[in-house]
Every structure is written in structure tokens, then in C-alpha cells.
Amino acid sequence: MSDDSPTVRELDEATVERIAAGEVVTRPARAVAELVENALDAGAERVDVTVDGDGTDRIRVADDGHGMSRADAVSAVDPHTTSKIRAADDLRGATTLGFRGEALAAIADAGRLELVTNDGGAVGTRVTVADGEKIVDDAGRARGTTVVVTDLFGDRPARRESLASPAREFGRVSELVTAYALARPEVAFSLTHDGRETTSTPGTGTRDALVALYGRETGGESTAVTHRAGVDLAGREAALTVEGRLCYPSTTRATRDHVHVAVNGRPVRDDDLRRAVARGYGSLLPSGRDPVAVLRLDVPAWAVDPNVHPAKARVAIRGGDTVGDAVEAGVREALTTADLRRAGEVAMDLDSSLAPVEASESDFADATVLGVFRDLYVLCEAGDDLLVVDQHAAHERVNFERLRAALADEAVPAAALDPAETVTLDPPTAAAVEEHREELARLGFAVDPFGGTTYRVTQVPAPLGRVADAEALRGVATDLRESSGRGGADALRDDLLADLACHPSLKAGDALDRETATRLVERLGECERPYACPHGRPTVLSLEASTLADGFERH
Ligand code: ADP
Ligand code: MG
């Protein structure tokens, strides 16, 4: 017998009276709910539900939980027996899904019940209850429990009369399994109706469960929410966790039924919490529409009374408004970053579609300029791609390559500074100037010490008439310091040219007419390395038409 299988006891009368009154099993879906809750309470990782017809014919729930010893299995089907609470005081804050100790007995009363269970021993137990008679015998079964209910309401014609169509009754079972599967995404669920599996979740988390239940388009287009808050629940400090997944508002529903909320692992139909979720979506939702979302709330057990509804479909949370506010905040926060993340995904697509483009494939030649966006970006059509060219970065690249070609192996032309200017450097940079004076001269600088770490600059580089200013010394000397030993003079020269290329280049924000923009794109196409500015930033991003199609969900 395993240690983790708890002992089933009979509750005392006072506790029985405190338990919310009401018939437990009013329709097949209620029986399914109770059996699924028992499976989850038993720590199941798999729950398989099978329903025939409207459920009155046959319901079967099998789990791989901790099972029951023979003695417990025999008493579990008696009224008011439970392993989950001992006294009325345990009712508030019960952490198990079941706690009333009446489900199995009520089901056995309303139909024919067969329970096969094994808590890890060599032989399992079968308990059959029919017409108030209990039969117990051996049964082969792996650890876990299977409950089969047949002929539900067989002797209660009024109950049978009150049932809706089989499709509708099965619909309720299906909604219920969906709710538990989303409340417990780490548990694998399956639902089979008349021999056909209609639903199954892999037990590998909320996203997979959502995809399994709602399809890839809805479930996959979702973002995670995790929100922790310390809240004041009716005067007592409580740690609250909100987690789950929010489907993008590109999918909405006409009802709030697809906002799945669970509190401490129990699915609840709580309209206040559902509304709080919708409020968190805010104006992202078209009016009159509700989202598809899964939210699991964890609050301390003392703050929750699960015993306020006969079907346990609602719970009472102390300080419920505060909880609603936290849910709303968590949802809003997650969606704000989700929008960024979605944009980020597109941006990554940009990067990746950019990365493999080699200079040789460069075909700005057949790019047609469509226009200029915000005086920053030139938009071009090139085959199936939309190219976005950063006009400033593109111009830097063009200037840089022109400068470098013009200067080839020559020393950088210089211009005298008259009057000379002084530049004060920090000590390490000053030391670099002293050390690399020769290189500085080749780069076009002439500097004299002027006391301390101050230098008089009498000559500056002036390639192609682009005169650097004295302050450029600071940048070049810093580069010299940082690159001492590496890169060498060529790299430095390139850096200097890059800086110079930058100065007279078009600034982002300069208005370009279409003709200039076209020329810029052509020149960029002629560059050796057109895809990065001399400082290494990208000059062009390309967006494939298919990325747009994905983004707009044109599948
Ligand atoms: P409750 O769930 O409120 O305790 P039930 O009538 O549903 O009452 O179940 C009675 C007891 O039977 C439970 O407390 C539990 O110990 C045991 N039990 C029922 N179903 C299972 C199961 N699937 N696996 C293990 N134990 C179970
Ligand atoms: Mg139960």
C-alpha cells in the first residue's frame, strides 16, 4: 500500500450540516465534474473521460493518481466519507477540489457505480454498488482509479425528463473538461464521445492546451501572463499570483464563456473576474466582444471559501475587488508587452530575412522607390520584398566607400587649423596621443603639448574637402587607446573615415525628393558592402511579402 494514499473517514454530523446543501448529481456533467475532481485530488497526470450518449448511458473516468487501498475504496462510496477534511473548520480554505465526502455516494445512489482502484499493491480492488448493494472483489489494474457510471437516473424519470438533448448534455461535459484542462494544463486530458475522441490535451502547459482546444490560429496567437502582487484582502496581506495566457485580440468571442478563470486550481464561473480580464484588454477589444483567455489565480487558502455553491462553480474570495484589480493590471501589463513582442517578432523576421542577403545578390538595381517615410526611411519595392532603407545610414556607407576609394594608399590630406584649437583630454587618452603621435600624423592630425593633458591642434584631416574639427582628435585618440595592439592603422583609418563620412552625410530627417532617394538607393547598390553603415548599423531591412501575409493572418 502506498504512503501517499490518504485515509477515508466518515465526517461528523455538524460538519455534514455545514456542507452546502443541494443535490450533487443533477445532470451527467455534474457526475463527470466530481469524478474529474477526485482524479485531480489524487494527483493524476492523466485523466481520460469517456461518455456515451447524453451520459446517462455510461460515463467513465480513469486516472493515474495515487489510488485507494481496499479498505478506503470500500468506505469511499459511503455517504459523508472523505480523506480531505476532518471537521467543519477545514471547510474554508480546503485546498482539494473535493471536500464534501458525498460525490461517490451520490453518484452510486443515482446510478450504478463501479470503482476499480489500485494504490500500488499487487492486486487492485473492484467495488460495485448497485441498488444499495456493495460487492467487493479483486481486480487487475495499474496504480490509479477508474470509475464507471451506468444507467444514471435509471430510476429517476423526473431527472431524465429535465435533461436537454444528448448533444447539449455532452456539450456541458465538453465545456467542463475544457475548463479543467485549462485550469490544470500540466495534466493530460482526453474526452471521448460515443467512441470518438473529441478533445485531448498533452499536459505540457497552457499554450499547448490552448492550441489543442482552440486550434493553432487562436491558441497559438497568444501571450503569457505572469503577475505577482501583494494585496490587502479584507485587512490581511496576501500574496497573489495571476498567470495564464491571453489570446491576441484578433480573436474574440461574443460571450465571456471563453475567459477561463481558475482559483487555486479550481475552474470557476466568476463573472467579476471574467469582466476584470476583459477590462485588462481594454480598447483592444471591439465593443461587445470578449476575449479567449486562461487565467489562473493563486491566493492563500484562507482567503477563499470554496463552499458557497452546490456545484462548487463559484468560490468566495475575500476582498474580491482587490483581486479583480490585480487581474486587470496583470492582463493589461502582459498585453502591453505582448504588442511589443509581436512587433519584435516581425523585427526579427526582418533581421533574418536581411542576414542571408549577400552583396552579390544585392539587387537594388531593380528596386523601385515607393516613397519616403517620416523623412527617415526610403521605402522600395524589390521583387517580393519591401525594402526599408535608412537614408542616413545609407548615405554614410556611400560616402565612406567613396572616401576610402579616393584615398586608397595615400596619407589622409590635412588642413591647417587657423587659429589652432586646444583640446583637453583625460589622462589615459592623453597618454595614447603621446604614444601614437606618428600614426596621428599619418591620419592628418598635428598636435602640440599645451601643458598637462591639453593639446594644441594645428592641423586636422580634410579628405575630399571634408574638414574634421579639432574635437575629432578626442575620438581618434580614444580609438587608438582602445585598439592599441589590435586592428592597426588600417582599421583606425577606416574608423576615422567612417566618422568623417558621417559628418556631411544626410541627417535623418532631411527631406529627400524621390529622385534623390532613387539616386541614394542606386549608389548604395554600387557599394562593396551595402548592408551596413561604416559603424556597423544596418542600412536596409527587408520585409518579405509573406511576413506581411502572416502578420495580417492572410493564410
Ligand atoms: P470528496 O472528494 O469530497 O472527499 P468523494 O465522495 O468524491 O468525496 O470521494 C470520497 C473519497 O474517496 C475521497 O476523499 C478520496 O479519498 C477517495 N477517492 C475518490 N475518488 C478517488 C480517486 N479517483 N483516486 C483516489 N482516491 C479517490
Ligand atoms: Mg470528490
Side-chain angles (χ1 to χ4, degrees):
M1 179 184 145
S2 81
D3 296 336
D4 54 1
S5 147
T7 309
V8 178
R9 291 183 194 76
E10 191 172 341
L11 292 172
D12 62 48
E13 251 177 66
T15 305
V16 169
E17 277 164 21
R18 281 279 305 279
I19 283 172
E23 211 176 333
V24 179
V25 187
T26 50
R27 51 182 4 118
R30 286 300 318 143
V32 174
E34 292 291 344
L35 297 174
V36 167
E37 290 193 350
N38 282 347
L40 293 172
D41 281 346
E45 289 175 5
R46 266 215 75 80
V47 180
D48 297 305
V49 180
T50 308
V51 170
D52 290 342
D54 65 2
T56 57
D57 303 351
R58 184 167 172 271
I59 292 168
R60 177 178 178 276
V61 177
D63 69 60
D64 62 355
H66 57 56
M68 280 175 273
S69 68
R70 179 157 301 186
D72 280 352
V74 171
S75 57
V77 297
D78 291 340
H80 312 308
T81 48
T82 179
S83 59
K84 298 169 191 173
I85 64 165
R86 292 182 183 201
D89 285 350
D90 296 343
L91 274 175
R92 164 175 280 279
T95 52
T96 45
L97 295 171
F99 48 79
R100 291 168 178 160
E102 59 187 354
L104 288 182
I107 293 168
D109 194 39
R112 185 175 181 281
L113 181 135
E114 181 199 76
L115 182 153
V116 178
T117 190
N118 185 339
D119 64 352
V123 203
T125 303
R126 170 182 289 106
V127 179
T128 313
V129 193
D131 304 324
E133 289 263 339
K134 251 193 272 189
I135 303 161
V136 181
D137 55 297
D138 288 352
R141 198 205 185 280
R143 201 177 121 202
T145 303
T146 303
V147 176
V148 179
V149 184
T150 43
D151 202 18
L152 188 63
F153 307 136
D155 56 2
R156 294 179 195 184
R159 269 276 163 247
R160 276 207 315 276
E161 285 295 300
S162 74
L163 298 182
S165 66
R168 183 69 203 106
E169 291 300 330
F170 175 73
R172 289 181 211 266
V173 172
S174 177
E175 281 165 23
L176 194 133
V177 171
T178 298
Y180 284 97
L182 291 171
R184 298 289 180 89
E186 303 306 329
V187 178
F189 281 85
S190 76
L191 173 62
T192 303
H193 188 220
D194 292 335
R196 196 175 66 86
E197 185 178 271
T198 62
T199 300
S200 76
T201 61
T204 49
T206 314
R207 186 178 185 279
D208 293 344
L210 263 176
V211 168
L213 296 165
Y214 281 92
R216 195 154 292 282
E217 283 209 354
T218 297
E221 295 287 293
S222 60
T223 189
V225 46
T226 330
H227 181 74
R228 275 170 242 282
V231 294
D232 184 320
L233 295 185
R236 204 169 148 186
E237 185 66 18
L240 181 109
T241 313
V242 180
E243 55 134 17
R245 273 194 100 77
L246 309 166
C247 293
Y248 288 133
S250 44
T251 301
T252 59
R253 297 288 154 112
T255 69
R256 266 195 287 275
D257 291 345
H258 301 274
V259 179
H260 300 276
V261 179
V263 176
N264 292 353
R266 176 190 304 286
V268 291
R269 302 178 66 87
D270 183 314
D271 246 0
D272 290 339
L273 290 176
R274 286 175 160 178
R275 262 196 295 271
V277 174
R279 275 203 307 278
Y281 275 76
S283 57
L284 294 172
L285 287 178
S287 74
R289 302 292 291 180
D290 277 290
V292 179
V294 182
L295 260 294
R296 289 182 298 270
L297 256 75
D298 273 300
V299 285
W302 55 258
V304 179
D305 186 352
N307 190 36
V308 295
H309 186 265
K312 296 177 284 186
R314 278 192 290 281
V315 296
I317 308 177
R318 292 200 202 178
D321 286 353
T322 323
V323 175
D325 290 347
V327 167
E328 182 185 339
V331 169
R332 179 171 305 115
E333 184 188 289
L335 287 171
T336 311
T337 42
D339 284 348
L340 293 176
R341 221 171 289 163
R342 195 173 198 195
E345 273 164 26
V346 174
M348 283 191 0
D349 286 342
L350 291 177
D351 283 346
S352 59
S353 45
L354 176 68
V357 184
E358 295 296 331
S360 56
E361 301 169 23
S362 123
D363 240 340
F364 292 105
D366 62 29
T368 313
V369 171
L370 302 172
V372 179
F373 177 57
R374 293 190 145 203
D375 290 339
L376 292 173
Y377 307 111
V378 180
L379 308 180
C380 316
E381 181 182 349
D384 270 349
D385 295 348
L386 173 69
L387 301 182
V388 182
V389 177
D390 179 317
Q391 65 180 45
H392 179 59
H395 215 102
E396 273 184 39
R397 164 54 63 182
V398 170
N399 280 341
F400 171 73
E401 294 204 3
R402 279 169 64 207
L403 276 175
R404 212 175 42 177
L407 295 174
D409 300 317
E410 296 163 39
V412 178
L417 259 192
D418 189 18
E421 284 179 40
T422 56
V423 177
T424 302
L425 304 170
D426 58 66
T429 309
V433 168
E434 296 294 339
E435 195 185 328
H436 299 284
R437 211 178 268 253
E438 242 178 71
E439 265 157 292
L440 282 172
R442 248 182 290 130
L443 290 168
F445 287 103
V447 293
D448 301 320
F450 199 68
T453 59
T454 303
Y455 290 85
R456 248 175 97 240
V457 182
T458 57
Q459 185 184 293
V460 290
L464 298 184
R466 295 159 204 277
V467 183
D469 52 34
E471 277 295 317
L473 175 68
R474 190 186 306 280
V476 172
T478 305
D479 288 350
L480 277 172
R481 193 185 85 219
E482 286 169 357
S483 67
S484 69
R486 309 178 271 115
D490 282 353
L492 263 174
R493 195 182 152 106
D494 278 359
D495 284 351
L496 178 69
L497 294 182
D499 286 342
L500 289 171
C502 173
H503 277 291
S505 297
L506 283 174
K507 289 278 173 279
D510 287 354
L512 280 192
D513 56 33
R514 188 176 293 216
E515 206 182 306
T516 316
T518 304
R519 211 161 347 106
L520 177 64
V521 173
E522 277 169 16
R523 292 263 163 78
L524 184 63
E526 289 158 14
C527 283
E528 247 175 70
R529 298 186 53 209
Y531 294 100
C533 86
H535 299 102
R537 287 186 299 106
T539 53
V540 56
L541 300 180
S542 97
L543 189 57
E544 289 172 31
S546 64
T547 306
L548 291 175
D550 285 350
F552 289 115
E553 298 173 9
R554 292 169 161 271
H555 299 295

